[in-house]
Amino acid sequence: MKYIILLGDGMPDYPIDELGGKTPLEYAHTPNMDFIARNGTVGYVKTVPDGFPPGSDVSNLSILGYDPAIYYTGRAPLEAASIGVKLSSTDVAFRCNLVTLKPVNPPAPPLTKGGLIMEDFSAGHISTEEARELITALDRELGSGEIRFYSGVSYRHLMVWKNGSNDIRLTPPHDISGKDIKGYMPQGEGADVLIKLMSDSQIFFNSQEINQKRKRDGKNPANSIWLWGNGKAPAMPTLKERFGLTGSIIAAVDLMKGIGIYSGLKPVNVPGVTGYIDTNYEGKADYALKELEGVDFVYLHVEAADEAAHNGSLENKIKAIEDFDKKVVERVLNGMKRFMDYRILLISDHPSPVSIKTHSREPVPFAIYPPKFHFHSPFMIGGEGGITGFSEKIVSNPSIRFEKGHELLEFFIK
């Protein structure tokens, strides 16, 4: 049996007046996802347990069958695994975004001395090459025996604090787009260390030629770091140990690759993947099908719809959903026919409503194809329950409910 999970990050949303009261998933042209929903086994899953933030880290751990209450230690340690940074038992890892902060009344650096808003949590989706140069220079400038900076992809990077404090309350930058950062600065034991690093980064970045050029080109500069997602290394059993499955993960972002590594999946590097709407969708699908010739299981993650929602772009979110359907789902549906036995799980990890520009915690729809259950089954085949497409309507009328998200994977496999 061959298994593949097709995950469109952040696709679910709220009804939007501009779309005639439809959600982007309902409005978008998605014949392939709709086919899976109509002809597959459908239901909903609560990927974010009560008491946890609705992040991609928590929700994707759930989808891969790990109870966040047991295995979640923070986002950054997962990304560290992808970057190749090995954490000791006393290391605390932090996600380090390159961001654009906009002064309300432009003060002299450091920017945190004046009123500031989170203008852009991605510094204009800065290129990986530009970002690597900035992070490498920052590590030379602010790094020490206790503090190190490591470059990742685009705006997503890592800081490791040796023997650091993990008792710090931090806020994801994409949760405060357009807001004054004053009420969201680090709090708790060791917060002063992080605030100083963020302030010092602003002074340093202000003089960097890369940022000067970005401003000349009309692009948002990376004028500060933003630290969040702190945690220590988790200990997780692999999917091989749990289910006897060999597998791979295909994703653009370090978070997903890191989750894959901890779960025993091999990260597969696909040329041209960006984590945004210009990503190489077809390459992801083709590489996934190629991987399945040698492994049992592939987790294919596409970030684009989530990024569009964080940017508040309804147009780009609809485009991302349609591209995912046409360039990934259709390609995989056709390509899986080469295998005698296979199963596809179509899912999202969490809603990312365009109206709030961040994640929400409602359950998400899923569809399994071919259906696990047939005639006389107590579980609904999409068309039998009046489901005509893959959308949030599945959540309002499910026959299968997983209130504990980590139980879905075992259902899918067994």
Side-chain angles (χ1 to χ4, degrees):
M1 177 72 78
K2 301 293 184 179
Y3 303 92
I4 187 167
I5 295 179
L6 303 179
L7 191 141
D9 198 311
M11 290 194 300
D13 209 304
Y14 300 148
I16 297 174
D17 290 342
E18 184 181 341
L19 304 180
K22 294 182 177 181
T23 68
L25 258 179
E26 293 175 306
Y27 183 86
H29 181 62
T30 56
N32 302 291
M33 288 193 281
D34 295 344
F35 171 85
I36 290 176
R38 287 195 304 270
N39 298 281
T41 303
V42 297
Y44 85 50
V45 56
K46 183 178 179 180
T47 58
V48 182
D50 293 340
F52 283 81
S56 294
D57 43 11
V58 170
S59 55
N60 281 278
L61 279 173
S62 289
I63 293 168
L64 267 171
Y66 297 96
D67 184 351
I70 298 173
Y71 298 107
Y72 180 69
T73 64
R75 181 184 186 113
L78 300 170
E79 299 191 351
S82 174
I83 294 174
V85 176
K86 295 187 179 298
L87 301 176
S88 75
S89 60
T90 61
D91 287 342
V92 181
F94 296 80
R95 170 71 173 270
C96 177
N97 271 45
L98 291 177
V99 302
T100 305
L101 301 179
K102 181 180 179 181
V104 176
N105 294 303
L111 296 177
T112 51
K113 296 299 182 183
L116 285 169
I117 62 171
M118 181 61 67
E119 174 76 0
D120 187 343
F121 69 89
S122 70
H125 282 276
I126 189 170
S127 72
T128 297
E129 293 72 22
E130 291 172 300
R132 183 182 298 116
E133 186 173 334
L134 288 174
I135 290 294
T136 301
L138 185 70
D139 186 58
R140 289 195 299 264
E141 181 73 12
L142 301 184
S144 66
E146 292 187 344
I147 300 290
R148 291 295 311 276
F149 295 90
Y150 299 89
S151 62
V153 176
S154 184
Y155 61 89
R156 312 170 186 92
H157 307 281
L158 185 77
M159 188 193 86
V160 177
W161 184 2
K162 186 176 182 179
N163 300 316
S165 170
N166 198 28
D167 188 22
I168 304 178
R169 294 181 299 281
L170 301 169
T171 302
H174 53 260
D175 282 358
I176 57 172
S177 293
K179 296 181 180 179
D180 193 318
I181 68 171
K182 183 178 180 181
Y184 303 98
M185 298 299 289
Q187 299 179 42
E189 182 183 351
D192 56 330
V193 175
L194 302 192
I195 292 172
K196 186 176 189 307
L197 286 167
M198 291 161 70
S199 297
D200 289 347
S201 76
Q202 294 157 16
I203 297 171
F204 179 71
F205 285 154
N206 186 59
S207 62
Q208 297 302 297
E209 174 56 27
I210 286 176
N211 279 325
Q212 300 304 320
K213 184 177 186 304
R214 288 183 67 80
K215 286 190 282 189
R216 290 194 298 270
D217 293 343
K219 299 177 181 178
N220 284 340
N223 60 16
S224 182
I225 59 170
W226 189 269
L227 301 170
W228 62 288
N230 51 305
K232 295 186 175 183
M236 296 161 48
T238 66
L239 296 184
K240 177 74 172 177
E241 293 167 337
R242 297 171 61 207
F243 302 111
L245 296 178
T246 60
S248 304
I249 187 164
I250 295 176
V253 295
D254 285 321
L255 169 65
M256 295 310 307
K257 293 178 183 178
I259 291 176
I261 289 169
Y262 274 114
S263 60
L265 301 178
K266 179 186 71 173
V268 177
N269 294 318
V270 179
V273 297
T274 65
Y276 198 44
I277 58 172
D278 59 350
T279 198
N280 182 5
Y281 296 95
E282 296 95 334
K284 284 189 170 187
D286 290 345
Y287 273 65
L289 293 167
K290 180 67 175 176
E291 283 297 304
L292 282 171
E293 294 175 3
V295 300
D296 310 309
F297 176 95
V298 168
Y299 198 93
L300 195 164
H301 174 275
V302 177
E303 178 83 358
D306 185 61
E307 288 291 303
H310 286 314
N311 288 327
S313 175
L314 177 59
E315 179 183 358
N316 282 345
K317 182 164 187 179
I318 293 171
K319 174 176 170 53
I321 291 170
E322 292 182 341
D323 284 347
F324 176 68
D325 181 81
K326 176 66 178 176
K327 300 176 182 180
V328 174
V329 181
E330 180 180 279
R331 218 172 181 91
V332 170
L333 265 175
N334 292 329
M336 292 297 283
K337 295 173 184 175
R338 74 183 69 170
F339 304 112
M340 183 173 297
D341 293 306
Y342 67 87
R343 195 170 293 153
I344 300 168
L345 171 60
L346 173 65
I347 194 170
S348 190
D349 47 358
H350 51 68
S352 291
V354 172
S355 59
I356 62 174
K357 297 184 181 181
T358 189
H359 305 163
S360 62
R361 58 188 313 111
E362 293 87 357
V364 297
F366 71 83
I368 296 172
Y369 180 84
K372 288 199 64 177
F373 303 98
H374 300 282
F375 194 66
H376 299 310
S377 166
F379 299 109
M380 182 171 68
I381 306 302
E384 295 175 359
I387 299 298
T388 59
F390 186 77
S391 75
E392 299 83 355
K393 287 184 177 178
I394 293 173
V395 175
S396 63
N397 184 32
S399 68
I400 311 176
R401 301 171 176 84
F402 287 96
E403 297 296 334
K404 296 180 179 179
H406 62 275
E407 294 178 348
L408 172 61
L409 185 73
E410 185 168 356
F411 174 81
F412 172 56
I413 291 172
K414 294 187 177 180

